[in-house]
Amino acid sequence: MSRNPFTKKAPRVKGVSIYRPFVYGSLATPLPLPRPLGTPPDHTHRWTVFVRPTTPNFDITHWLRKVQFKLHETYSQSLRTVESPPFEVTETGWGEFEVGIKLFFVPEASEKPLSVYHQLKLHPYIGTDEEKDKVRRDGGEVGSKCYEEVCFNEPVEVFYEILTQGNGREKEKGKGKGKAKSLGARGGGGDKPTERSAEIPNDGKPYSHMMEAREIDRLTEAVKQVNSRLAEERAKLAEREKLLEELKKETASGLGR
């Protein structure tokens, strides 16, 4: 049996935590009518669940080795493993469910896999009724994405070297799949050696805590809208129950005469 040469006994860089960002989520679109050949008749959407870098041109394979997706048990081979980019699975279906996502790190990391969970979204839930109806009517794409940062706490020395070499890697265009070049300490291009940094790579279009706060604000507003609609429906229900009670009394009174 082969052994990982990068064991947990390898020297670690004490007092250092390095964060690396990624995005996970799903995209879904309604299937056209008639359904594509070979599609089950009850399937209504085509969807993709994924793990991606924060921007398309950025490479995360220097720390991410493979991704495992746990789909609903009704799918054949519900456990799907993707060992190279793009780290994603595309399927068709009719229902929403929770997808288990497990990230496996490169051998040099000597770290256990990281698990996250994503609720597959097929239908629009945020926005006004008119906006949601328009998405459904136009067959628009429904996206659900989450920003996350993996923390490598006191990484082993060899992995620290990988993580801090130019602070990241950017895919080189036209030089073969998977090739990468070093970036500057703040994400600048160039092939010259740059200062090592444990900072999160910034290639000009970073995700940030501010963006996360805006997303939380949008979700909070959506929850307010849902609560408002629930209050309206409860009021309507109470009115109907009151009317029903009055009708019952009138009926009972008429029968007693």
Side-chain angles (χ1 to χ4, degrees):
M1 183 174 67
S2 61
R3 295 182 60 188
N4 181 356
F6 307 101
T7 66
K8 290 187 177 181
K9 294 182 179 179
R12 291 183 173 270
V13 182
K14 300 297 183 181
V16 172
S17 295
I18 296 182
Y19 296 83
R20 287 296 175 259
F22 64 96
V23 176
Y24 67 96
S26 60
L27 297 171
T29 54
L31 289 170
L33 290 175
R35 299 282 186 258
L37 188 64
T39 303
D42 59 340
H43 285 196
T44 59
H45 289 74
R46 183 180 305 279
W47 52 261
T48 298
V49 62
F50 58 81
V51 171
R52 295 175 179 172
T54 52
T55 51
N57 64 324
F58 206 77
D59 181 33
I60 57 178
T61 57
H62 61 290
W63 58 265
L64 181 62
R65 181 168 65 93
K66 65 180 180 180
V67 178
Q68 197 173 74
F69 298 91
K70 181 65 174 71
L71 309 182
H72 194 273
E73 60 186 10
T74 54
Y75 286 91
S76 62
Q77 298 180 338
S78 61
L79 192 63
R80 312 281 181 90
T81 301
V82 182
E83 298 190 355
S84 60
F87 297 107
E88 59 185 42
V89 169
T90 298
E91 272 287 358
T92 62
W94 57 266
E96 299 178 343
F97 57 90
E98 185 178 72
V99 180
I101 303 173
K102 184 177 288 188
L103 285 71
F104 292 82
F105 305 117
V106 295
E108 294 90 337
S110 296
E111 298 284 355
K112 295 180 180 179
L114 170 69
S115 293
V116 295
Y117 299 89
H118 176 71
Q119 185 67 30
L120 177 66
K121 302 292 185 186
L122 302 184
H123 309 285
Y125 295 102
I126 298 177
T128 64
D129 289 343
E130 290 78 11
E131 290 171 339
K132 290 183 284 188
D133 288 340
K134 186 177 187 302
V135 172
R136 296 188 185 96
R137 185 173 59 253
D138 297 344
E141 184 176 75
V142 174
S144 176
K145 304 176 186 179
C146 297
Y147 171 87
E148 186 60 89
E149 294 174 2
V150 56
C151 174
F152 298 106
N153 188 41
E154 297 189 346
V156 296
E157 290 180 356
V158 64
F159 190 45
Y160 174 82
E161 294 291 317
I162 293 173
L163 289 172
T164 59
Q165 282 179 358
N167 194 34
R169 297 176 181 179
E170 185 180 16
K171 295 178 183 176
E172 287 188 273
K173 297 180 179 178
K175 294 190 177 182
K177 182 179 180 181
K179 290 198 173 184
K181 65 179 180 180
S182 294
L183 294 178
R186 287 292 178 182
D191 298 324
K192 295 181 180 180
T194 56
E195 180 183 353
R196 293 187 182 277
S197 171
E199 294 296 317
I200 292 177
N202 179 347
D203 62 351
K205 298 179 181 178
Y207 276 68
S208 67
H209 293 295
M210 185 177 296
M211 292 179 66
E212 184 178 7
R214 287 200 297 266
E215 183 65 20
I216 291 173
D217 288 342
R218 285 195 290 269
L219 292 174
T220 301
E221 181 60 30
V223 170
K224 288 180 180 178
Q225 291 182 21
V226 170
N227 288 336
S228 176
R229 291 293 299 273
L230 285 173
E232 291 176 6
E233 293 301 322
R234 289 193 188 101
K236 291 178 182 178
L237 179 60
E239 186 66 28
R240 289 168 185 163
E241 289 178 344
K242 181 180 177 181
L243 179 60
L244 178 61
E245 191 64 29
E246 290 176 354
L247 290 173
K248 286 181 179 179
K249 290 180 180 179
E250 290 178 4
T251 302
S253 176
L255 291 174
R257 291 178 183 173

